[in-house]
Amino acid sequence: MKNYLRAVGAVIWKDFRSEWRSRESLSAMLVFALLVILIFNFALELDIEARTSLSAGVLWTTFIFAGTIGLNRSLAVEKDRGCLDGLLLAPVDRTVIYFGKAVGNLLFMLVVEAIVLPVFTFLYGFNVFQPGFLVVVLLGSVGYTAVGTLLATMVVQARTRDILLPILLFPLTLPVVIAAVKASQGFFQGLPLEEFSVWLNILVGYDLIFIAVAFMVFDYVLED
Amino acid sequence: MKTKPRALTLLDVLSGAMILAAAGLVFFYAPVEALMGPVQKVFYFHVATAWVGMLGFLVAAVAGYLYLRENQERFDIVGAAAVEISLVFFLIAIIMGSIWARPIWNTWWTWDPRLTTAAIVELIYAAYLLLRSGVDDPERRARFSAIYAIFGFVSVPLTFISIRLLRTIHPVVVGGAEAASQGGFNMDNPMKLAFFFSLAAFSVLFADLLWHRIRLGELQRAVTALRIRSYQEEN
């Protein structure tokens, strides 16, 4: 178990080191996320009234779009430079690669969210820094990257890999989006927790189920 | 390649006859529903096609699981066949639902849990076909499709539950109560007969089409193998 965690940590650390040197993924995700917010601002004309009801949806759409970029990139880099074969040669369980990449992707997504949220607060005068809401952000991102990492590992091995990831990922992660948006709305509007705690349950359930399924099938994603 | 099995021809005839008989029951035997009138007759085939759709997606998920475990190409063929057929039936179910919804709910479409889930299910399996066409290596394609079929099927109940929590107007006809205000109704015995016979007829039709499609998949595989062999012999 200890060795397993060490190996997972090594994969994460490798991702961070290479990202630190180029900063390609994070900066692309970040600029993209800010652009999406900008577009929403004009497309939806977010005045004061519209903000309270729409901001949760705008935020999660932004996170998800930016997340797709990061996921695609994270696995495409491995594939293109032959790193995936190197990882496969390592004498560790295949699921180590999955958890390493998934946690790495999750951390990247959280970094982007950590920068987007203050910007959002700054632009719209909206306090998003509530502990409950941050838990929602974490749970939503976990579910999204758990499924996304597995699918991205498949997609980079496909011929149509540039277009395939969102098509495969969005319909599967819809429960995450619905639950995260509703839970975020609950916190933004200051509703009592009992009224929307069911959405938190759905998020936790989704995360557990899909991490388990991904853990069981990941061996088959990298079988050559 | 084997010639068409006689049992399959028999199944062709049987499914055709059952569909005709089901249509006969629906139009001439089952009474016209008191409140909704003739448009309610859409219901019999609407539920039957939706049922066949879900059945096929279940078959695809089971075939996916078996493929991953046994690593035999025939399970891949079964999975692809089931998804292709069910995608069409499910689309028919959605369209029929719209035809029913227009006079009863006064709209073609609402974002009700079942309708929304149906739309998402349709998209998941459309994505499944895109994934298949995007991977060239047959062995890899089979593995990826198997995984996606399992993921898709696991996500459907969660999607349904999440959307269900956002209120529903879709009637629960079998084993539900207080649905009358939403266009629900109670079935009398002739209606039940027509309903369950339609379900059976479409299930038989599904089995028939699935068998045909599996045979087609096997033929495709044989053609590919022959092509590779002739190419090798030339060189």
Side-chain angles (χ1 to χ4, degrees), chain A residues 4-24:
Chain A
Y4 191 91
L5 289 180
R6 275 240 313 270
V8 172
V11 176
I12 301 170
W13 183 237
K14 163 198 84 70
D15 272 5
F16 258 81
R17 286 248 298 241
S18 74
E19 181 58 31
W20 183 250
R21 283 180 196 152
S22 67
R23 296 184 195 86
E24 279 170 351

Side-chain angles (χ1 to χ4, degrees), chain B residues 77-93:
Chain B
I77 294 174
V78 173
V83 167
E84 270 183 25
I85 297 167
S86 286
L87 203 59
V88 175
F89 273 104
F90 218 63
L91 187 63
I92 294 173

Side-chain angles (χ1 to χ4, degrees), chain A residues 30-49:
Chain A
L30 195 61
V31 173
F32 185 78
L34 296 175
L35 284 172
V36 172
I37 288 189
L38 195 79
I39 287 172
F40 270 126
N41 184 47
F42 293 113
L44 301 177
E45 294 192 35
L46 289 176
D47 53 28
I48 303 271
E49 273 171 46

Side-chain angles (χ1 to χ4, degrees), chain B residues 57-100:
Chain B
F57 299 139
L58 173 67
V59 168
V62 173
Y65 168 74
L66 288 174
Y67 178 82
L68 292 182
R69 216 184 60 176
E70 311 279 332
N71 201 17
Q72 286 176 6
E73 202 181 356
R74 61 195 167 112
F75 292 120
D76 180 50
I77 294 174
V78 173
V83 167
E84 270 183 25
I85 297 167
S86 286
L87 203 59
V88 175
F89 273 104
F90 218 63
L91 187 63
I92 294 173
I94 292 174
I95 292 170
M96 282 194 192
S98 265
I99 293 171
W100 190 12

Side-chain angles (χ1 to χ4, degrees), chain A residues 4 19 44 51 84-85 103 108 111 157 161 168 202:
Chain A
Y4 191 91
E19 181 58 31
L44 301 177
R51 264 178 230 164
L84 205 54
D85 300 327
V103 174
F108 285 157
V111 169
Q157 301 176 63
R161 67 181 207 184
L168 297 182
I202 287 187

